[in-house]
Amino acid sequence: MSTLEYFEVDSTEPVGGQLYRRIASTVITDHNLLKVLERLRIFIDPSVPVFVAVGITRTVPRTITVSDLAGITYDGQKITLAIADETFLADLLQILWKSYGKDQVSQPDRFTIEILTSGDAASSGIEDLAVADPTEGLFKDLIYSMQVICPEGFRVKKQNFHNGRFWFVASENTLPEDVTPLVDEQFRIMEAAS
Amino acid sequence: MILVPITYKGGVFRHDEILDLIEDMGGYIIQKHMIAQEVVLQALIPKEDIEILKTVSRPLAGEVKPAPLVGTEIAVVSMSLEIHHLPHASCDVAEYLRTAGAKTNMIGLARGFGKRIGLLSDEERDIINEHDLAIYLFGNFETCIKEKMPTFRRGIQVPIVVCGGPTKETLMKIIDPPVAGYIGGLGRFMHRTKEPHELARLDEIVEEVSRVIDQKRIGIAKDPLSVTPARLMDIILENVPAIHEVTSPIPVVVQMDGTRIKLPYDPYAAEIREIEIEAGIRIADVCDIRPSRMRDYILLKVKPFSETGMLV
């Protein structure tokens, strides 16, 4: 866990806390979140019981547009995309079919897509068309990994992710309507340590 | 004749000689695994004949090792079968006990997780009670173990060995009344056990389980069983042809005080009841035959000498 700037697992039971530190470390490594996380603090109080995880992610990747994954050339009413990165190709095709219609979109080979537009191709603004939002997947991955780390009986959960700051609170009992004080306290401890 | 549990590992070449020798000695082969070119036998053999077996197996490059848990069926109780507990630690423990000769069954509780919400259903309780011993794999927090233990021990009649994250001393302190065995420092974890200190913990489990099993053996020896379960297994394998059609790797499981026969109860129980062990003595005379809660298997529990007045 050396690449995390701050990583702490705190518990009212020190032995359990240490063991959970190892669990958290394994899960984060297994889920490939080391590059994404900058700081992480987990607090577990089994007597309440409550599990609070707060963290800060590194620079959140921006929305991926067509120009990020393909070279674009215009020829009258025809747009030709030369695919450089296939990762989001399936998503891209779905979006293109939706915007231009299946008849207008063809894929003569694996790395080429041709689109016939009704107006001037160059003014279609295709280069800024959003294909994928990595933050959505990132948030899901983060929350999933927190669910795996937290004790299994803690089935009542609340989570939030905003501006690179996330928190996850779970308990076996009902959670208070407003968990902000719990979360804020952990954020405060984390920030004070830096 | 005192039978001791052993594991034999050797090549496939001429291994039938070893099988014959064990049978001629009056021993019993509990399990036989053939893995590629290797044969692993788990057997009970007369104590005084171990040296003969070692001598015979030497030219065949066979290895004879004591395996304290051969002839036992152990329940490894996991609080759930979710990613939180599988494959580590549940599978690691179950697998390691198999290397010591035990037949382990993993029991994943439907609602075992949580300290307040953890539950043990009557079906789960009955299945655990069909085993010789139950290993409870708890989590890392003593508060949780302390609170949930009374629920999970209710109605359990077999010895319980508790594994948990806190130290052994802490476990002994928080579990009241005491259980048969404790292993500390082995609670919930999500990585494979391969470091030396983790393997040492698994060895500790084998040691602790062997200790508890030995205590149970001493208890059984005070009022011996009317027939040894291993002999019962042999008799069933000889007299019930349908058992050879069962695809399960171990169609007849030997327990310390009985056997589990992996045939459906309704069509076969009557036939098994009438099988003659020795002149005039039927299985029904020395065993309780009942349907198992595990699938529709048949469970035989051997009655002690004090009840039947005979030793066969």
Side-chain angles (χ1 to χ4, degrees), chain A residues 11 13 19-20 22-23 26 46-47 147-150 152-153 155 172-173, chain B residues 80 82 84-85 113-117 140-143 188 190-191 195:
Chain A
S11 172
E13 280 182 29
L19 294 164
Y20 264 85
R22 181 73 200 266
I23 291 175
T26 314
S47 54
Q147 283 180 10
V148 173
I149 295 169
C150 97
E152 200 193 345
R155 294 270 158 140
E172 193 177 281
N173 302 331
Chain B
S80 86
E82 268 275 357
H84 296 74
H85 305 101
F113 47 79
K115 70 167 182 172
R116 180 180 55 83
I117 57 175
N140 290 335
F141 292 118
E142 54 177 274
T143 320
R188 187 186 151 208
M190 303 209 65
H191 58 277
E195 289 166 22

PDB file of all heavy atoms in Angstrom, chain A residues 11 13 19-20 22-23 26 46-47 147-150 152-153 155 172-173, chain B residues 80 82 84-85 113-117 140-143 188 190-191 195:
ATOM      1  N   SER A  11      -9.893   1.029  14.705  1.00  0.00           N
ATOM      2  CA  SER A  11     -11.023   0.307  15.293  1.00  0.00           C
ATOM      3  C   SER A  11     -10.959   0.427  16.803  1.00  0.00           C
ATOM      4  O   SER A  11      -9.885   0.648  17.376  1.00  0.00           O
ATOM      5  CB  SER A  11     -10.963  -1.158  14.879  1.00  0.00           C
ATOM      6  OG  SER A  11     -11.925  -1.894  15.584  1.00  0.00           O
ATOM      7  N   GLU A  13     -11.324  -2.038  18.548  1.00  0.00           N
ATOM      8  CA  GLU A  13     -10.589  -3.258  18.916  1.00  0.00           C
ATOM      9  C   GLU A  13      -9.309  -3.292  18.077  1.00  0.00           C
ATOM     10  O   GLU A  13      -9.360  -3.586  16.877  1.00  0.00           O
ATOM     11  CB  GLU A  13     -11.430  -4.502  18.595  1.00  0.00           C
ATOM     12  CG  GLU A  13     -12.471  -4.787  19.639  1.00  0.00           C
ATOM     13  CD  GLU A  13     -13.263  -6.053  19.312  1.00  0.00           C
ATOM     14  OE1 GLU A  13     -12.715  -6.964  18.668  1.00  0.00           O
ATOM     15  OE2 GLU A  13     -14.423  -6.110  19.703  1.00  0.00           O
ATOM     16  N   LEU A  19      -6.241  -6.655  11.614  1.00  0.00           N
ATOM     17  CA  LEU A  19      -6.626  -7.700  10.661  1.00  0.00           C
ATOM     18  C   LEU A  19      -7.426  -7.102   9.509  1.00  0.00           C
ATOM     19  O   LEU A  19      -7.286  -7.522   8.360  1.00  0.00           O
ATOM     20  CB  LEU A  19      -7.434  -8.796  11.367  1.00  0.00           C
ATOM     21  CG  LEU A  19      -6.635  -9.595  12.395  1.00  0.00           C
ATOM     22  CD1 LEU A  19      -7.539 -10.379  13.316  1.00  0.00           C
ATOM     23  CD2 LEU A  19      -5.682 -10.548  11.694  1.00  0.00           C
ATOM     24  N   TYR A  20      -8.242  -6.103   9.816  1.00  0.00           N
ATOM     25  CA  TYR A  20      -9.019  -5.445   8.754  1.00  0.00           C
ATOM     26  C   TYR A  20      -8.133  -4.599   7.850  1.00  0.00           C
ATOM     27  O   TYR A  20      -8.448  -4.389   6.689  1.00  0.00           O
ATOM     28  CB  TYR A  20     -10.181  -4.631   9.347  1.00  0.00           C
ATOM     29  CG  TYR A  20     -11.450  -5.444   9.323  1.00  0.00           C
ATOM     30  CD1 TYR A  20     -11.744  -6.333  10.344  1.00  0.00           C
ATOM     31  CD2 TYR A  20     -12.304  -5.404   8.236  1.00  0.00           C
ATOM     32  CE1 TYR A  20     -12.864  -7.133  10.297  1.00  0.00           C
ATOM     33  CE2 TYR A  20     -13.426  -6.201   8.174  1.00  0.00           C
ATOM     34  CZ  TYR A  20     -13.702  -7.064   9.214  1.00  0.00           C
ATOM     35  OH  TYR A  20     -14.807  -7.880   9.143  1.00  0.00           O
ATOM     36  N   ARG A  22      -5.247  -5.524   6.834  1.00  0.00           N
ATOM     37  CA  ARG A  22      -4.744  -6.482   5.848  1.00  0.00           C
ATOM     38  C   ARG A  22      -5.827  -6.802   4.812  1.00  0.00           C
ATOM     39  O   ARG A  22      -5.552  -6.898   3.618  1.00  0.00           O
ATOM     40  CB  ARG A  22      -4.289  -7.759   6.589  1.00  0.00           C
ATOM     41  CG  ARG A  22      -3.727  -8.835   5.700  1.00  0.00           C
ATOM     42  CD  ARG A  22      -2.348  -8.484   5.186  1.00  0.00           C
ATOM     43  NE  ARG A  22      -1.963  -9.239   4.007  1.00  0.00           N
ATOM     44  CZ  ARG A  22      -1.271 -10.362   4.007  1.00  0.00           C
ATOM     45  NH1 ARG A  22      -0.857 -10.872   5.147  1.00  0.00           N
ATOM     46  NH2 ARG A  22      -0.973 -10.971   2.891  1.00  0.00           N
ATOM     47  N   ILE A  23      -7.091  -6.938   5.306  1.00  0.00           N
ATOM     48  CA  ILE A  23      -8.198  -7.238   4.381  1.00  0.00           C
ATOM     49  C   ILE A  23      -8.340  -6.085   3.383  1.00  0.00           C
ATOM     50  O   ILE A  23      -8.405  -6.299   2.172  1.00  0.00           O
ATOM     51  CB  ILE A  23      -9.521  -7.447   5.156  1.00  0.00           C
ATOM     52  CG1 ILE A  23      -9.467  -8.727   5.977  1.00  0.00           C
ATOM     53  CG2 ILE A  23     -10.717  -7.484   4.198  1.00  0.00           C
ATOM     54  CD1 ILE A  23     -10.655  -8.973   6.868  1.00  0.00           C
ATOM     55  N   THR A  26      -5.609  -6.043   0.832  1.00  0.00           N
ATOM     56  CA  THR A  26      -5.775  -7.098  -0.189  1.00  0.00           C
ATOM     57  C   THR A  26      -6.861  -6.713  -1.196  1.00  0.00           C
ATOM     58  O   THR A  26      -6.669  -6.844  -2.398  1.00  0.00           O
ATOM     59  CB  THR A  26      -6.178  -8.433   0.474  1.00  0.00           C
ATOM     60  OG1 THR A  26      -5.359  -8.648   1.594  1.00  0.00           O
ATOM     61  CG2 THR A  26      -6.061  -9.595  -0.475  1.00  0.00           C
ATOM     62  N   PRO A  46     -17.186  -2.238  16.295  1.00  0.00           N
ATOM     63  CA  PRO A  46     -18.095  -3.390  16.281  1.00  0.00           C
ATOM     64  C   PRO A  46     -19.152  -3.354  17.384  1.00  0.00           C
ATOM     65  O   PRO A  46     -20.140  -4.073  17.313  1.00  0.00           O
ATOM     66  CB  PRO A  46     -17.163  -4.593  16.457  1.00  0.00           C
ATOM     67  CG  PRO A  46     -15.919  -4.043  17.042  1.00  0.00           C
ATOM     68  CD  PRO A  46     -15.817  -2.623  16.637  1.00  0.00           C
ATOM     69  N   SER A  47     -18.953  -2.517  18.399  1.00  0.00           N
ATOM     70  CA  SER A  47     -19.940  -2.513  19.477  1.00  0.00           C
ATOM     71  C   SER A  47     -21.184  -1.716  19.100  1.00  0.00           C
ATOM     72  O   SER A  47     -22.258  -1.966  19.620  1.00  0.00           O
ATOM     73  CB  SER A  47     -19.314  -1.980  20.765  1.00  0.00           C
ATOM     74  OG  SER A  47     -18.752  -0.726  20.496  1.00  0.00           O
ATOM     75  N   GLN A 147     -17.741  -2.511   0.127  1.00  0.00           N
ATOM     76  CA  GLN A 147     -18.702  -3.537   0.572  1.00  0.00           C
ATOM     77  C   GLN A 147     -18.000  -4.861   0.856  1.00  0.00           C
ATOM     78  O   GLN A 147     -18.388  -5.590   1.758  1.00  0.00           O
ATOM     79  CB  GLN A 147     -19.754  -3.769  -0.509  1.00  0.00           C
ATOM     80  CG  GLN A 147     -20.799  -2.684  -0.555  1.00  0.00           C
ATOM     81  CD  GLN A 147     -21.831  -2.936  -1.633  1.00  0.00           C
ATOM     82  OE1 GLN A 147     -21.885  -3.991  -2.217  1.00  0.00           O
ATOM     83  NE2 GLN A 147     -22.652  -1.946  -1.895  1.00  0.00           N
ATOM     84  N   VAL A 148     -16.975  -5.141   0.072  1.00  0.00           N
ATOM     85  CA  VAL A 148     -16.237  -6.393   0.294  1.00  0.00           C
ATOM     86  C   VAL A 148     -15.402  -6.287   1.565  1.00  0.00           C
ATOM     87  O   VAL A 148     -15.295  -7.237   2.335  1.00  0.00           O
ATOM     88  CB  VAL A 148     -15.348  -6.723  -0.931  1.00  0.00           C
ATOM     89  CG1 VAL A 148     -14.457  -7.913  -0.659  1.00  0.00           C
ATOM     90  CG2 VAL A 148     -16.208  -7.002  -2.149  1.00  0.00           C
ATOM     91  N   ILE A 149     -14.843  -5.106   1.803  1.00  0.00           N
ATOM     92  CA  ILE A 149     -14.005  -4.937   2.995  1.00  0.00           C
ATOM     93  C   ILE A 149     -14.862  -4.990   4.260  1.00  0.00           C
ATOM     94  O   ILE A 149     -14.509  -5.651   5.226  1.00  0.00           O
ATOM     95  CB  ILE A 149     -13.228  -3.596   2.946  1.00  0.00           C
ATOM     96  CG1 ILE A 149     -12.234  -3.593   1.792  1.00  0.00           C
ATOM     97  CG2 ILE A 149     -12.508  -3.336   4.274  1.00  0.00           C
ATOM     98  CD1 ILE A 149     -11.622  -2.244   1.485  1.00  0.00           C
ATOM     99  N   CYS A 150     -15.999  -4.341   4.244  1.00  0.00           N
ATOM    100  CA  CYS A 150     -16.759  -4.198   5.493  1.00  0.00           C
ATOM    101  C   CYS A 150     -17.352  -5.544   5.930  1.00  0.00           C
ATOM    102  O   CYS A 150     -17.603  -6.410   5.102  1.00  0.00           O
ATOM    103  CB  CYS A 150     -17.811  -3.103   5.363  1.00  0.00           C
ATOM    104  SG  CYS A 150     -19.454  -3.637   4.969  1.00  0.00           S
ATOM    105  N   GLU A 152     -19.584  -8.654   6.768  1.00  0.00           N
ATOM    106  CA  GLU A 152     -20.691  -9.027   5.896  1.00  0.00           C
ATOM    107  C   GLU A 152     -22.066  -8.708   6.469  1.00  0.00           C
ATOM    108  O   GLU A 152     -23.001  -8.420   5.737  1.00  0.00           O
ATOM    109  CB  GLU A 152     -20.610 -10.523   5.583  1.00  0.00           C
ATOM    110  CG  GLU A 152     -21.397 -10.857   4.348  1.00  0.00           C
ATOM    111  CD  GLU A 152     -21.602 -12.336   4.184  1.00  0.00           C
ATOM    112  OE1 GLU A 152     -20.920 -13.117   4.847  1.00  0.00           O
ATOM    113  OE2 GLU A 152     -22.468 -12.700   3.384  1.00  0.00           O
ATOM    114  N   GLY A 153     -22.160  -8.752   7.791  1.00  0.00           N
ATOM    115  CA  GLY A 153     -23.459  -8.500   8.403  1.00  0.00           C
ATOM    116  C   GLY A 153     -23.933  -7.060   8.271  1.00  0.00           C
ATOM    117  O   GLY A 153     -25.098  -6.752   8.507  1.00  0.00           O
ATOM    118  N   ARG A 155     -25.415  -4.704   6.551  1.00  0.00           N
ATOM    119  CA  ARG A 155     -26.206  -4.693   5.319  1.00  0.00           C
ATOM    120  C   ARG A 155     -26.857  -3.343   5.038  1.00  0.00           C
ATOM    121  O   ARG A 155     -27.404  -3.127   3.979  1.00  0.00           O
ATOM    122  CB  ARG A 155     -27.294  -5.760   5.413  1.00  0.00           C
ATOM    123  CG  ARG A 155     -26.718  -7.172   5.447  1.00  0.00           C
ATOM    124  CD  ARG A 155     -26.590  -7.682   4.051  1.00  0.00           C
ATOM    125  NE  ARG A 155     -25.616  -8.760   3.962  1.00  0.00           N
ATOM    126  CZ  ARG A 155     -25.790  -9.828   3.223  1.00  0.00           C
ATOM    127  NH1 ARG A 155     -26.900 -10.001   2.554  1.00  0.00           N
ATOM    128  NH2 ARG A 155     -24.843 -10.736   3.128  1.00  0.00           N
ATOM    129  N   GLU A 172     -25.098  -2.846  10.899  1.00  0.00           N
ATOM    130  CA  GLU A 172     -26.016  -3.969  10.988  1.00  0.00           C
ATOM    131  C   GLU A 172     -27.394  -3.439  11.381  1.00  0.00           C
ATOM    132  O   GLU A 172     -28.422  -3.999  11.034  1.00  0.00           O
ATOM    133  CB  GLU A 172     -25.475  -4.902  12.076  1.00  0.00           C
ATOM    134  CG  GLU A 172     -26.095  -6.254  12.127  1.00  0.00           C
ATOM    135  CD  GLU A 172     -25.427  -7.099  13.192  1.00  0.00           C
ATOM    136  OE1 GLU A 172     -24.334  -7.614  12.926  1.00  0.00           O
ATOM    137  OE2 GLU A 172     -25.985  -7.236  14.282  1.00  0.00           O
ATOM    138  N   ASN A 173     -27.393  -2.338  12.125  1.00  0.00           N
ATOM    139  CA  ASN A 173     -28.638  -1.714  12.567  1.00  0.00           C
ATOM    140  C   ASN A 173     -28.992  -0.580  11.612  1.00  0.00           C
ATOM    141  O   ASN A 173     -28.229  -0.275  10.696  1.00  0.00           O
ATOM    142  CB  ASN A 173     -28.463  -1.157  13.983  1.00  0.00           C
ATOM    143  CG  ASN A 173     -28.058  -2.248  14.942  1.00  0.00           C
ATOM    144  OD1 ASN A 173     -28.405  -3.407  14.754  1.00  0.00           O
ATOM    145  ND2 ASN A 173     -27.303  -1.883  15.956  1.00  0.00           N
TER     146      ASN A 173
ATOM    147  N   SER B  80     -21.071 -17.667   5.963  1.00  0.00           N
ATOM    148  CA  SER B  80     -21.861 -17.544   4.734  1.00  0.00           C
ATOM    149  C   SER B  80     -20.990 -18.048   3.596  1.00  0.00           C
ATOM    150  O   SER B  80     -19.805 -18.292   3.788  1.00  0.00           O
ATOM    151  CB  SER B  80     -22.270 -16.099   4.471  1.00  0.00           C
ATOM    152  OG  SER B  80     -21.247 -15.438   3.765  1.00  0.00           O
ATOM    153  N   GLU B  82     -20.442 -16.216   0.920  1.00  0.00           N
ATOM    154  CA  GLU B  82     -20.223 -14.991   0.142  1.00  0.00           C
ATOM    155  C   GLU B  82     -18.725 -14.773  -0.069  1.00  0.00           C
ATOM    156  O   GLU B  82     -17.898 -15.442   0.543  1.00  0.00           O
ATOM    157  CB  GLU B  82     -20.786 -13.795   0.919  1.00  0.00           C
ATOM    158  CG  GLU B  82     -22.223 -13.480   0.571  1.00  0.00           C
ATOM    159  CD  GLU B  82     -22.332 -12.598  -0.664  1.00  0.00           C
ATOM    160  OE1 GLU B  82     -21.292 -12.201  -1.202  1.00  0.00           O
ATOM    161  OE2 GLU B  82     -23.467 -12.332  -1.086  1.00  0.00           O
ATOM    162  N   HIS B  84     -16.942 -12.637   1.126  1.00  0.00           N
ATOM    163  CA  HIS B  84     -16.284 -12.252   2.376  1.00  0.00           C
ATOM    164  C   HIS B  84     -15.552 -13.424   3.038  1.00  0.00           C
ATOM    165  O   HIS B  84     -14.575 -13.232   3.736  1.00  0.00           O
ATOM    166  CB  HIS B  84     -17.308 -11.691   3.365  1.00  0.00           C
ATOM    167  CG  HIS B  84     -17.944 -10.423   2.897  1.00  0.00           C
ATOM    168  ND1 HIS B  84     -18.891 -10.405   1.897  1.00  0.00           N
ATOM    169  CD2 HIS B  84     -17.765  -9.155   3.269  1.00  0.00           C
ATOM    170  CE1 HIS B  84     -19.273  -9.158   1.695  1.00  0.00           C
ATOM    171  NE2 HIS B  84     -18.591  -8.375   2.502  1.00  0.00           N
ATOM    172  N   HIS B  85     -16.076 -14.622   2.847  1.00  0.00           N
ATOM    173  CA  HIS B  85     -15.480 -15.775   3.540  1.00  0.00           C
ATOM    174  C   HIS B  85     -14.911 -16.835   2.603  1.00  0.00           C
ATOM    175  O   HIS B  85     -14.347 -17.816   3.048  1.00  0.00           O
ATOM    176  CB  HIS B  85     -16.517 -16.432   4.449  1.00  0.00           C
ATOM    177  CG  HIS B  85     -17.123 -15.467   5.407  1.00  0.00           C
ATOM    178  ND1 HIS B  85     -18.359 -14.911   5.209  1.00  0.00           N
ATOM    179  CD2 HIS B  85     -16.643 -14.919   6.530  1.00  0.00           C
ATOM    180  CE1 HIS B  85     -18.612 -14.081   6.179  1.00  0.00           C
ATOM    181  NE2 HIS B  85     -17.593 -14.062   6.998  1.00  0.00           N
ATOM    182  N   PHE B 113     -24.019 -14.518   9.095  1.00  0.00           N
ATOM    183  CA  PHE B 113     -23.247 -13.277   9.260  1.00  0.00           C
ATOM    184  C   PHE B 113     -23.912 -12.315  10.231  1.00  0.00           C
ATOM    185  O   PHE B 113     -25.113 -12.393  10.458  1.00  0.00           O
ATOM    186  CB  PHE B 113     -23.045 -12.610   7.892  1.00  0.00           C
ATOM    187  CG  PHE B 113     -24.306 -12.543   7.090  1.00  0.00           C
ATOM    188  CD1 PHE B 113     -25.254 -11.566   7.359  1.00  0.00           C
ATOM    189  CD2 PHE B 113     -24.572 -13.473   6.100  1.00  0.00           C
ATOM    190  CE1 PHE B 113     -26.431 -11.498   6.634  1.00  0.00           C
ATOM    191  CE2 PHE B 113     -25.744 -13.415   5.365  1.00  0.00           C
ATOM    192  CZ  PHE B 113     -26.679 -12.437   5.638  1.00  0.00           C
ATOM    193  N   GLY B 114     -23.105 -11.403  10.758  1.00  0.00           N
ATOM    194  CA  GLY B 114     -23.642 -10.375  11.655  1.00  0.00           C
ATOM    195  C   GLY B 114     -23.646 -10.827  13.097  1.00  0.00           C
ATOM    196  O   GLY B 114     -23.715 -12.018  13.375  1.00  0.00           O
ATOM    197  N   LYS B 115     -23.516  -9.850  14.017  1.00  0.00           N
ATOM    198  CA  LYS B 115     -23.464 -10.271  15.424  1.00  0.00           C
ATOM    199  C   LYS B 115     -24.862 -10.385  16.029  1.00  0.00           C
ATOM    200  O   LYS B 115     -25.148 -11.317  16.743  1.00  0.00           O
ATOM    201  CB  LYS B 115     -22.581  -9.326  16.236  1.00  0.00           C
ATOM    202  CG  LYS B 115     -23.123  -7.950  16.472  1.00  0.00           C
ATOM    203  CD  LYS B 115     -22.308  -7.235  17.540  1.00  0.00           C
ATOM    204  CE  LYS B 115     -22.923  -5.871  17.780  1.00  0.00           C
ATOM    205  NZ  LYS B 115     -22.373  -5.171  18.891  1.00  0.00           N
ATOM    206  N   ARG B 116     -25.758  -9.451  15.683  1.00  0.00           N
ATOM    207  CA  ARG B 116     -27.118  -9.507  16.223  1.00  0.00           C
ATOM    208  C   ARG B 116     -28.024 -10.315  15.312  1.00  0.00           C
ATOM    209  O   ARG B 116     -28.894 -11.041  15.775  1.00  0.00           O
ATOM    210  CB  ARG B 116     -27.654  -8.074  16.364  1.00  0.00           C
ATOM    211  CG  ARG B 116     -29.064  -7.973  16.927  1.00  0.00           C
ATOM    212  CD  ARG B 116     -29.502  -6.527  17.023  1.00  0.00           C
ATOM    213  NE  ARG B 116     -29.406  -5.821  15.752  1.00  0.00           N
ATOM    214  CZ  ARG B 116     -30.339  -5.851  14.787  1.00  0.00           C
ATOM    215  NH1 ARG B 116     -31.431  -6.561  14.938  1.00  0.00           N
ATOM    216  NH2 ARG B 116     -30.162  -5.181  13.656  1.00  0.00           N
ATOM    217  N   ILE B 117     -27.781 -10.213  13.998  1.00  0.00           N
ATOM    218  CA  ILE B 117     -28.700 -10.829  13.039  1.00  0.00           C
ATOM    219  C   ILE B 117     -28.314 -12.260  12.664  1.00  0.00           C
ATOM    220  O   ILE B 117     -29.030 -12.913  11.937  1.00  0.00           O
ATOM    221  CB  ILE B 117     -28.817  -9.963  11.760  1.00  0.00           C
ATOM    222  CG1 ILE B 117     -27.435  -9.743  11.123  1.00  0.00           C
ATOM    223  CG2 ILE B 117     -29.475  -8.631  12.048  1.00  0.00           C
ATOM    224  CD1 ILE B 117     -27.469  -9.010   9.800  1.00  0.00           C
ATOM    225  N   ASN B 140     -13.254 -11.271  12.948  1.00  0.00           N
ATOM    226  CA  ASN B 140     -12.080 -10.689  13.594  1.00  0.00           C
ATOM    227  C   ASN B 140     -12.370  -9.941  14.886  1.00  0.00           C
ATOM    228  O   ASN B 140     -11.440  -9.546  15.582  1.00  0.00           O
ATOM    229  CB  ASN B 140     -11.394  -9.733  12.620  1.00  0.00           C
ATOM    230  CG  ASN B 140     -10.736 -10.480  11.482  1.00  0.00           C
ATOM    231  OD1 ASN B 140     -10.383 -11.640  11.625  1.00  0.00           O
ATOM    232  ND2 ASN B 140     -10.571  -9.822  10.354  1.00  0.00           N
ATOM    233  N   PHE B 141     -13.640  -9.700  15.184  1.00  0.00           N
ATOM    234  CA  PHE B 141     -13.950  -8.863  16.351  1.00  0.00           C
ATOM    235  C   PHE B 141     -14.487  -9.688  17.512  1.00  0.00           C
ATOM    236  O   PHE B 141     -15.440 -10.453  17.343  1.00  0.00           O
ATOM    237  CB  PHE B 141     -14.958  -7.782  15.974  1.00  0.00           C
ATOM    238  CG  PHE B 141     -14.394  -6.759  15.032  1.00  0.00           C
ATOM    239  CD1 PHE B 141     -14.934  -6.591  13.773  1.00  0.00           C
ATOM    240  CD2 PHE B 141     -13.315  -5.981  15.408  1.00  0.00           C
ATOM    241  CE1 PHE B 141     -14.404  -5.657  12.898  1.00  0.00           C
ATOM    242  CE2 PHE B 141     -12.780  -5.044  14.540  1.00  0.00           C
ATOM    243  CZ  PHE B 141     -13.323  -4.880  13.284  1.00  0.00           C
ATOM    244  N   GLU B 142     -13.878  -9.489  18.685  1.00  0.00           N
ATOM    245  CA  GLU B 142     -14.300 -10.275  19.844  1.00  0.00           C
ATOM    246  C   GLU B 142     -15.719  -9.920  20.279  1.00  0.00           C
ATOM    247  O   GLU B 142     -16.459 -10.785  20.741  1.00  0.00           O
ATOM    248  CB  GLU B 142     -13.302 -10.127  21.002  1.00  0.00           C
ATOM    249  CG  GLU B 142     -13.006  -8.713  21.426  1.00  0.00           C
ATOM    250  CD  GLU B 142     -12.079  -8.663  22.628  1.00  0.00           C
ATOM    251  OE1 GLU B 142     -12.573  -8.746  23.763  1.00  0.00           O
ATOM    252  OE2 GLU B 142     -10.872  -8.546  22.401  1.00  0.00           O
ATOM    253  N   THR B 143     -16.114  -8.651  20.101  1.00  0.00           N
ATOM    254  CA  THR B 143     -17.474  -8.241  20.479  1.00  0.00           C
ATOM    255  C   THR B 143     -18.494  -9.098  19.723  1.00  0.00           C
ATOM    256  O   THR B 143     -19.479  -9.556  20.307  1.00  0.00           O
ATOM    257  CB  THR B 143     -17.712  -6.765  20.073  1.00  0.00           C
ATOM    258  OG1 THR B 143     -16.535  -6.036  20.340  1.00  0.00           O
ATOM    259  CG2 THR B 143     -18.887  -6.164  20.779  1.00  0.00           C
ATOM    260  N   ARG B 188     -11.353 -13.637   9.755  1.00  0.00           N
ATOM    261  CA  ARG B 188     -11.635 -13.379   8.350  1.00  0.00           C
ATOM    262  C   ARG B 188     -10.385 -12.816   7.689  1.00  0.00           C
ATOM    263  O   ARG B 188      -9.731 -11.930   8.243  1.00  0.00           O
ATOM    264  CB  ARG B 188     -12.776 -12.365   8.261  1.00  0.00           C
ATOM    265  CG  ARG B 188     -13.250 -12.150   6.863  1.00  0.00           C
ATOM    266  CD  ARG B 188     -14.272 -11.044   6.783  1.00  0.00           C
ATOM    267  NE  ARG B 188     -14.154 -10.460   5.465  1.00  0.00           N
ATOM    268  CZ  ARG B 188     -14.441  -9.229   5.163  1.00  0.00           C
ATOM    269  NH1 ARG B 188     -14.863  -8.393   6.085  1.00  0.00           N
ATOM    270  NH2 ARG B 188     -14.307  -8.783   3.942  1.00  0.00           N
ATOM    271  N   MET B 190      -8.618 -12.271   3.399  1.00  0.00           N
ATOM    272  CA  MET B 190      -9.003 -12.375   1.996  1.00  0.00           C
ATOM    273  C   MET B 190      -7.838 -12.739   1.085  1.00  0.00           C
ATOM    274  O   MET B 190      -7.912 -12.557  -0.118  1.00  0.00           O
ATOM    275  CB  MET B 190      -9.638 -11.068   1.540  1.00  0.00           C
ATOM    276  CG  MET B 190     -10.826 -10.726   2.390  1.00  0.00           C
ATOM    277  SD  MET B 190     -12.068  -9.794   1.570  1.00  0.00           S
ATOM    278  CE  MET B 190     -12.681 -10.856   0.334  1.00  0.00           C
ATOM    279  N   HIS B 191      -6.764 -13.214   1.680  1.00  0.00           N
ATOM    280  CA  HIS B 191      -5.629 -13.611   0.861  1.00  0.00           C
ATOM    281  C   HIS B 191      -5.337 -15.092   1.101  1.00  0.00           C
ATOM    282  O   HIS B 191      -5.767 -15.662   2.095  1.00  0.00           O
ATOM    283  CB  HIS B 191      -4.402 -12.773   1.211  1.00  0.00           C
ATOM    284  CG  HIS B 191      -4.017 -12.891   2.650  1.00  0.00           C
ATOM    285  ND1 HIS B 191      -4.606 -12.151   3.643  1.00  0.00           N
ATOM    286  CD2 HIS B 191      -3.125 -13.683   3.270  1.00  0.00           C
ATOM    287  CE1 HIS B 191      -4.079 -12.470   4.799  1.00  0.00           C
ATOM    288  NE2 HIS B 191      -3.186 -13.407   4.608  1.00  0.00           N
ATOM    289  N   GLU B 195       2.026 -17.787   3.677  1.00  0.00           N
ATOM    290  CA  GLU B 195       3.184 -17.367   4.471  1.00  0.00           C
ATOM    291  C   GLU B 195       3.392 -18.356   5.617  1.00  0.00           C
ATOM    292  O   GLU B 195       2.424 -18.942   6.094  1.00  0.00           O
ATOM    293  CB  GLU B 195       2.948 -15.949   5.012  1.00  0.00           C
ATOM    294  CG  GLU B 195       3.015 -14.909   3.911  1.00  0.00           C
ATOM    295  CD  GLU B 195       2.452 -13.564   4.327  1.00  0.00           C
ATOM    296  OE1 GLU B 195       2.403 -13.292   5.538  1.00  0.00           O
ATOM    297  OE2 GLU B 195       2.050 -12.813   3.439  1.00  0.00           O
TER     298      GLU B 195
END
